[in-house]
Amino acid sequence: MKKPLRKAVLPVAGLGTRFLPATKAMAKEMLPVVDKPLIQYAIEEARAAGIDQFCMVTGRGKTALVEHFDVAFELEATLRQRNRVEALEQLKGSQVEPGSMVTVRQQVPLGLGHAIWCARAFIGDDPFAILLPDDLVLSETPCLKQLADAYRETGGNVVAVVEVPREHTNRYGILKTGHDDGRLVEVQGLVEKPAPADAPSNLSIIGRYVLMPEVIGHLAKMERGAGNEVQLTDGMARLIGHQPFHGLRYKGTRFDCGDKAGFLEAQIAFALARPDLADAVRGFLHKYV
Ligand code: UTP
């Protein structure tokens, strides 16, 4: 029987070099899109997929991420005193059940695969989700919910995939595809950041995964891959042929918020999706373009 999906790992220990100087003293995952930090979008998306246990893999200078999900006692008391009901309501999404969030430290940023391996005690023998908070997905059904449903259908590993321009394959993990029904794709191989000429397809993995715990055993070997980092893609590739492994063409639009242009696009798309802001934003966009 398939084990239920209840755990999510959120790696947030990267250096965020593409977003300097903003990320010099502040975690990239605390950057807000409209009025909410990236990390909170990720936690809310995980919750919507039925997940109730969270592990953030953090590093130096990331304490604000932990604080964000704590009770802000003085702030809340002051707001209550002033009867600021709406402001108090705004804080609700950042409150987690006591004991439902843990953090582990990735002392050295050796790559995404290494970050996931750092969460091995939390993962144990259970299937788990991974959300990279800097990948933000605007969709009707939350992206991870779509993956969790596919996991219940297929069992085994499921990753969210999207077609990218062939000249961009060297930025992503790319699939070698087998049977493809237009929604679910059987994964026959995975390559991290292949040159366009060597890429087995143009289907790329985005930052949403449901993985089986056996991946940890492969990551533990600490083999270095692309960029001399311990790559999650390489660990996942070792599971192929031993467990079901599928790519899911999710419904939605992904924004790479680790990149400046992607982040700006996300601001506009998310603001236009908000009834309280859409008109104002549409108005000033006309002014600039
Ligand atoms: P990125 O490839 O976006 O790297 O990592 P980065 O360091 O965050 O940013 P740039 O490229 O220097 O601007 C993808 C995800 O993996 C995490 C990051 O926090 C991000 O969520 N990560 C990456 C780690 O947790 N540890 C690592 O060693 C590397």
Side-chain angles (χ1 to χ4, degrees):
M1 213 190 71
K2 283 184 283 284
K3 280 193 175 179
L5 181 67
R6 296 188 54 193
K7 296 181 175 177
V9 178
L10 300 108
V12 292
L15 298 176
T17 52
R18 282 171 297 156
F19 231 114
L20 284 168
T23 46
K24 183 182 173 194
M26 186 186 74
K28 168 171 73 173
E29 297 78 8
M30 281 305 291
L31 291 169
V33 168
V34 184
D35 53 5
K36 207 192 288 181
L38 290 170
I39 187 72
Q40 190 175 330
Y41 284 99
I43 295 286
E44 289 178 2
E45 186 181 326
R47 272 199 201 115
I51 281 163
D52 57 7
Q53 297 171 43
F54 308 95
C55 177
M56 281 198 285
V57 183
T58 67
R60 283 181 59 243
K62 304 280 182 172
T63 42
L65 289 162
V66 180
E67 294 281 325
H68 186 74
F69 294 101
D70 203 356
V71 171
F73 183 78
E74 282 176 33
L75 173 65
E76 287 174 34
T78 309
L79 292 176
R80 228 171 274 121
Q81 228 172 33
R82 297 183 184 172
N83 204 22
R84 298 284 307 275
V85 183
E86 244 176 70
L88 278 164
E89 197 59 32
Q90 295 293 338
L91 292 175
K92 284 215 169 123
S94 62
Q95 282 156 2
V96 296
E97 280 288 301
S100 66
M101 182 178 277
V102 298
T103 59
V104 295
R105 196 104 164 165
Q106 183 192 23
Q107 288 92 339
V108 203
L110 296 179
L112 179 57
H114 179 259
I116 300 303
W117 174 81
C118 288
R120 63 199 178 282
F122 168 80
I123 294 163
D125 293 325
D126 295 317
F128 64 103
I130 302 172
L131 299 99
L132 307 188
D134 51 355
D135 258 346
L136 193 56
V137 185
L138 186 60
S139 58
E140 219 163 273
T141 306
C143 185
L144 194 64
K145 167 85 168 59
Q146 299 177 42
L147 279 191
D149 290 343
Y151 162 66
R152 276 186 285 276
E153 235 173 273
T154 62
N157 308 275
V158 196
V159 293
V161 298
V162 69
E163 254 108 27
V164 294
R166 195 155 261 278
E167 61 268 28
H168 291 170
T169 56
N170 57 355
R171 301 181 188 174
Y172 305 103
I174 299 290
L175 266 60
K176 179 168 186 274
T177 61
H179 178 74
D180 185 346
D181 71 7
R183 176 176 161 262
L184 277 171
V185 195
E186 186 199 339
V187 180
Q188 288 190 341
L190 290 168
V191 198
E192 184 63 28
K193 302 189 172 69
D198 306 328
S201 77
N202 66 338
L203 259 191
S204 104
I205 304 179
I206 71 153
R208 300 289 182 278
Y209 314 69
V210 173
L211 297 181
M212 300 303 106
E214 287 76 15
V215 73
I216 297 297
H218 297 296
L219 295 174
K221 293 173 196 146
M222 294 298 149
E223 286 163 359
R224 301 295 181 106
N228 200 31
E229 292 190 338
V230 180
Q231 294 289 353
L232 176 62
T233 304
D234 298 340
M236 294 191 299
R238 301 294 173 93
L239 300 174
I240 298 167
H242 302 283
Q243 299 177 336
F245 208 127
H246 292 88
L248 172 76
R249 286 193 184 81
Y250 60 94
K251 291 203 173 109
T253 311
R254 182 272 299 261
F255 301 93
D256 178 2
C257 292
D259 171 78
K260 287 168 193 168
F263 178 72
L264 291 172
E265 190 185 349
Q267 300 287 355
I268 293 169
F270 275 71
L272 287 173
R274 288 255 306 242
D276 58 331
L277 291 169
D279 285 346
V281 174
R282 218 172 273 122
F284 70 61
L285 280 178
H286 279 301
K287 202 167 83 185
Y288 291 99
V289 290

